[in-house]
Amino acid sequence: MDQLQLDLLGVLGQTSVSEEAGEDGRGTDVPDRGELHVHLNGAIPTSSIREILFDEATVLPAGFELERDLVRKTPCQSLAEYLKPWQVLRLFPRKRENLDRLTLTVFAGLEKCNVRFVELRSSVLYLAALQQCSPAQALERLIDSSGEAAQRHGIRRGLILTVTRGDYSTVNLSTLLQAYQDLGKPEDVIGLDLAGDEEMAYPTELPSLFKKAKDKFGLGITIHAGETGREENVRSAVDLFGADRIGHGTAAGKDPELLELLSTRGICVEVCPISNRITGAVPPNEAHPLQQFRRYGVPFVICSDNPEIHGRSLADDQAAAMAEGLSIGDMQQQYEVAKRHSFIKDLN
């Protein structure tokens, strides 16, 4: 699908499906939605970001322009370009009340899009540094804040703790797991995620730590893999990390044996159609591997990744999936698929 097709379909245009459909967000005639792959910082409305930055008198990085660099609505030249908003997204909230403020706006957006349950991702450790508290205190604050916001908007939510690839990933994971245990292994925490640049090396013991956490605590494992074109990362996520789900996984569409593996083991791929086009995970002259996933019987869920950075919503990602060849029937089945593969217990 080329850029012209995307623009004509409104996927990367200036108007979102939810805006066209009105306040109820029913742009693709889907009454209920589940969201399994969304990052907290990527789901904060830009208006709220500006207000919090002003309130906390945050100094922006040199050369960073909010109008230009906070959103990513068109295809980027590189993953580094796509990730530029995080230069600012990791600078707040320093105030406890602003954490409450941003979680409320995130859940208000989810409710508007008919999301009934969500798995929200956050690294937590940056929050501890910003608010000058222990990782356990930061995790407790996030649990309380997101829990109150979720309850107010009638949404079930679970938290996924994210670790970024790199030299310190093992230390960071151990720190997060210790905070989780210090709080008495709260049911609010449902899984672990590995994210970041897939070309970046990580300590050899990291996969075993993920698998031990899965076995010991019953946490679900989702790994960002195959987003940058390396199908071997998807295989490693399955074989080494014990992944229950794969984040993005677009590269897997090029490897029939890998597709068979995912299908046989019932490993769900978290597909983020708009993000995949903007990051270049799926080039403009290539078809999205969604059809390959369906052809091989690989389970998948449509997700939004960083909806406010894209100026979009989960409804728009579902519309984008239809533009890639899926049907309204496929979208209407997504809620049940998401429930089946969610790490949140007792969804009904």
Side-chain angles (χ1 to χ4, degrees), residues 167-186:
D167 294 339
Y168 297 100
S169 53
T170 297
V171 173
N172 291 342
L173 176 58
S174 298
T175 301
L176 286 172
L177 289 174
Q178 186 60 57
Y180 167 72
Q181 293 175 83
D182 289 345
L183 293 180
K185 297 177 286 187

Side-chain angles (χ1 to χ4, degrees), residues 47-340:
S47 58
S48 297
I49 293 173
R50 292 171 184 274
E51 291 169 2
I52 293 172
L53 291 175
F54 179 80
D55 180 63
E56 297 184 351
T58 303
V59 177
L60 300 181
F64 193 99
E65 297 181 15
L66 289 177
E67 292 290 342
R68 180 191 66 196
D69 298 326
L70 195 55
V71 295
R72 290 289 179 265
K73 294 185 177 182
T74 56
C76 296
Q77 297 300 310
S78 66
L79 189 59
E81 180 187 344
Y82 176 78
L83 293 174
K84 190 168 184 179
W86 275 263
Q87 293 179 13
V88 163
L89 294 176
R90 289 187 172 274
L91 299 180
F92 69 91
R94 297 201 304 270
K95 296 180 180 180
R96 175 66 174 82
E97 59 267 30
N98 281 334
L99 176 61
D100 296 337
R101 186 178 185 176
L102 70 85
T103 54
L104 279 171
T105 62
V106 167
F107 279 90
L110 292 169
E111 182 186 18
K112 183 178 178 180
C113 195
N114 299 333
V115 172
R116 309 306 181 201
F117 64 91
V118 60
E119 298 184 8
L120 200 59
R121 301 180 188 217
S122 175
S123 66
V124 177
L125 295 180
Y126 84 99
L127 183 63
L130 286 171
Q131 300 196 354
Q132 298 182 330
C133 63
S134 70
Q137 289 173 318
L139 178 56
E140 185 173 37
R141 292 176 186 183
L142 181 59
I143 288 172
D144 291 345
S145 184
S146 62
E148 290 174 8
Q151 185 174 22
R152 180 177 297 190
H153 291 281
I155 298 172
R156 287 283 305 275
R157 76 90 178 85
L159 298 177
I160 293 181
L161 306 182
T162 296
V163 174
T164 303
R165 287 176 173 84
D167 294 339
Y168 297 100
S169 53
T170 297
V171 173
N172 291 342
L173 176 58
S174 298
T175 301
L176 286 172
L177 289 174
Q178 186 60 57
Y180 167 72
Q181 293 175 83
D182 289 345
L183 293 180
K185 297 177 286 187
E187 293 182 356
D188 309 77
V189 177
I190 58 172
L192 299 174
D193 169 39
L194 180 65
D197 186 352
E198 290 185 52
E199 303 304 317
M200 187 174 291
Y202 53 77
T204 55
E205 64 269 28
L206 184 64
S208 64
L209 282 181
F210 268 82
K211 293 185 78 170
K212 286 178 182 177
K214 178 179 179 176
D215 295 339
K216 183 176 182 179
F217 305 122
L219 296 173
I221 303 296
T222 175
I223 306 291
H224 281 69
E227 185 180 10
T228 56
R230 295 169 61 86
E231 55 266 30
E232 59 265 34
N233 290 345
V234 179
R235 192 175 297 277
S236 295
V238 174
D239 293 337
L240 301 182
F241 287 86
D244 301 291
R245 300 200 313 250
I246 300 295
H248 300 290
T250 53
K254 302 175 183 178
D255 187 335
E257 289 187 5
L258 184 53
L259 289 167
E260 292 282 5
L261 175 68
L262 295 175
S263 177
T264 299
R265 298 195 185 181
I267 296 173
C268 183
V269 179
E270 304 154 356
V271 177
C272 308
I274 293 176
S275 175
N276 294 159
R277 292 294 183 180
I278 294 177
T279 62
V282 180
N285 61 341
E286 291 185 11
H288 196 285
L290 268 170
Q291 296 286 14
Q292 283 288 84
F293 295 153
R294 186 165 62 173
R295 187 174 298 115
Y296 279 82
V298 176
F300 61 84
V301 289
I302 304 301
C303 307
S304 65
D305 199 13
N306 299 297
E308 290 293 339
I309 298 301
H310 307 151
R312 295 294 179 267
S313 71
L314 182 54
D316 295 299
D317 273 281
Q318 290 188 341
M322 291 174 64
E324 302 281 2
L326 300 188
S327 68
I328 184 61
D330 292 324
M331 293 306 99
Q332 290 169 339
Q333 294 172 15
Q334 276 287 295
Y335 184 64
E336 294 301 322
V337 176
K339 284 202 297 185
R340 187 158 59 249

